[in-house]
Amino acid sequence: MALLSVFTPVLAVVLCLVIGFVLVKSWDTETTSTSPGKSKGATKGEKRPWLDQDLQDDTEITAKEDDDDADDDWGDSAEEENLTQLPYSPQRYPEETMLQRSKEFYTLMNQRRSVRFISPEPVPREVIDNVIHTAGTAPSGAHTEPWTFVVVSDPDIKHQIRLIVEEEEEMNYRQRMGEKWVQDLAKFRTNWIKEYLDVAPYLILIFKQTYGILPNGKKKTHYYNEISVSISCGILLAALQNVGLVTVTSTPLNCGPKLRLLLKRPANEKLLMLLPVGYPATDATVPDLKRKHLDDILVHVSLQVCVEEC
């Protein structure tokens, strides 16, 4: 007991020193993470809510790329901050014309279907260029325009793409997707055989740019890149429907890295969607599907509703 009483003050001092050291370290860490100089490029461990994490392609990871969040890698695009503001006055239609145009556009888009039977008949390249140009009008986070559209018409490259997709898709159907997913697709009569990848005159592969490259070689943040590119894909589908072409939206699971390397795309690009594009085959068929009624997808929130229910 006497020995314990002698060491008790010493143990108390040591314990106080340890606690003090831990508190100082945690304070230093917090100060570092919130310092003004660290806000331009996200520091390691900092949450970046504009990033999309659902598609993974880590094939570009190297010793250098492992430190993606280091401040030295990210540039400052301050030269773009002061943009000239221009007058904007788009054409305005009478209400009757608006209603008519809205109905006509709905009728056009309601005819859009996913078509897996595509004709090999040639399509004017200028038409493809124009629909992609239209897709490029989509809004994007901080106007970074984080999209790359790769158009493939070479038969050999198309066939290599088909081989890559079918190899991975067979594994998806047999192993990765699970029994329920495969059963849910059975009614559409789909499988891992993708003949249309050879037949369609064009394949459009849409890549999202996870970051940009400034003229000085620094990385430029692309905010909400996947959401931005997804909006662009929607406009692309509407543009294809507008010119009478068909496609089937394809997100080839686990094919992105191989296709990116095949097409020699840089490490900052990740495959988001693959679209075979052309005219429908003369014997094309589609499943007899029904879309949801307007009442099932639309909710109007009015002032009266808020007063009574909010």
Side-chain angles (χ1 to χ4, degrees):
M1 291 294 295
L3 183 61
L4 180 61
S5 63
V6 171
F7 280 101
T8 297
V10 177
L11 292 173
V13 171
V14 171
L15 182 60
C16 290
L17 289 174
V18 171
I19 294 174
F21 178 77
V22 171
L23 290 175
V24 170
K25 291 296 290 183
S26 63
W27 170 258
D28 289 343
T29 302
E30 181 179 354
T31 304
T32 302
S33 63
T34 57
S35 60
K38 299 294 184 182
S39 60
K40 292 178 181 177
T43 57
K44 267 194 172 178
E46 180 183 345
K47 291 184 178 179
R48 296 189 285 174
W50 58 85
L51 292 183
D52 304 296
Q53 300 294 342
D54 56 337
L55 291 185
Q56 299 297 327
D57 176 359
D58 59 0
T59 55
E60 80 281 4
I61 292 180
T62 63
K64 181 178 180 180
E65 292 289 337
D66 280 341
D67 197 23
D68 266 352
D69 291 332
D71 289 339
D72 291 343
D73 292 339
W74 295 88
D76 184 2
S77 55
E79 68 275 6
E80 301 177 359
E81 288 181 359
N82 298 318
L83 293 175
T84 302
Q85 298 295 313
L86 302 174
Y88 181 67
S89 183
Q91 183 176 356
R92 181 165 177 169
Y93 302 100
E95 289 188 8
E96 296 81 3
T97 304
M98 292 173 61
L99 181 60
Q100 182 63 28
R101 288 172 62 91
S102 67
K103 289 180 177 180
E104 291 174 352
F105 190 69
Y106 166 74
T107 299
L108 172 68
M109 294 308 300
N110 192 39
Q111 296 170 359
R112 188 210 59 78
R113 298 297 301 270
S114 294
V115 178
R116 294 173 173 83
F117 303 97
I118 300 177
S119 169
E121 182 182 355
V123 174
R125 177 173 173 176
E126 187 176 2
V127 172
I128 300 299
D129 291 348
N130 286 339
V131 296
I132 291 177
H133 206 185
T134 302
T137 66
S140 59
H143 192 60
T144 51
E145 301 177 292
W147 40 67
T148 301
F149 299 87
V150 179
V151 179
V152 179
S153 57
D154 179 84
D156 292 335
I157 301 298
K158 287 195 298 180
H159 188 64
Q160 291 182 59
I161 291 173
R162 178 182 177 181
L163 294 178
I164 291 173
V165 171
E166 289 186 341
E167 179 184 9
E168 293 295 333
E169 282 285 79
E170 182 174 5
M171 293 181 64
N172 293 335
Y173 272 83
R174 293 187 182 277
Q175 302 176 23
R176 298 169 177 149
M177 290 165 54
E179 184 177 352
K180 185 179 185 305
W181 190 349
V182 174
Q183 288 178 349
D184 288 342
L185 291 174
K187 61 185 177 183
F188 302 105
R189 301 179 183 176
T190 65
N191 54 39
W192 59 83
I193 305 300
K194 312 294 182 184
E195 182 180 357
Y196 51 73
L197 295 177
D198 272 327
V199 176
Y202 293 102
L203 303 181
I204 302 178
L205 294 94
I206 302 100
F207 289 82
K208 67 172 186 176
Q209 301 170 7
T210 56
Y211 56 86
I213 305 295
L214 295 169
N216 61 4
K218 298 284 188 177
K219 297 177 182 178
K220 177 182 179 179
T221 303
H222 279 177
Y223 303 96
Y224 300 105
N225 53 76
E226 185 167 313
I227 296 174
S228 301
V229 180
S230 297
I231 295 172
S232 181
C233 288
I235 295 177
L236 176 59
L237 293 176
L240 290 171
Q241 182 70 17
N242 183 57
V243 296
L245 298 177
V246 298
T247 187
V248 53
T249 52
S250 170
T251 52
L253 188 65
N254 297 305
C255 298
K258 291 181 181 179
L259 293 178
R260 179 174 65 79
L261 294 175
L262 172 66
L263 299 173
K264 297 180 173 58
R265 301 312 307 158
N268 65 319
E269 294 186 1
K270 306 289 183 285
L271 181 65
L272 186 69
M273 190 171 294
L274 167 59
L275 302 178
V277 173
Y279 298 108
T282 55
D283 59 348
T285 60
V286 295
D288 183 16
L289 301 178
K290 299 296 186 294
R291 292 189 167 97
K292 291 182 177 180
H293 190 272
L294 179 62
D295 293 338
D296 295 325
I297 65 173
L298 172 64
V299 176
H300 275 294
V301 178
S302 63
L303 179 60
Q304 182 178 0
V305 171
C306 285
V307 170
E308 294 177 353
E309 300 181 4
C310 293

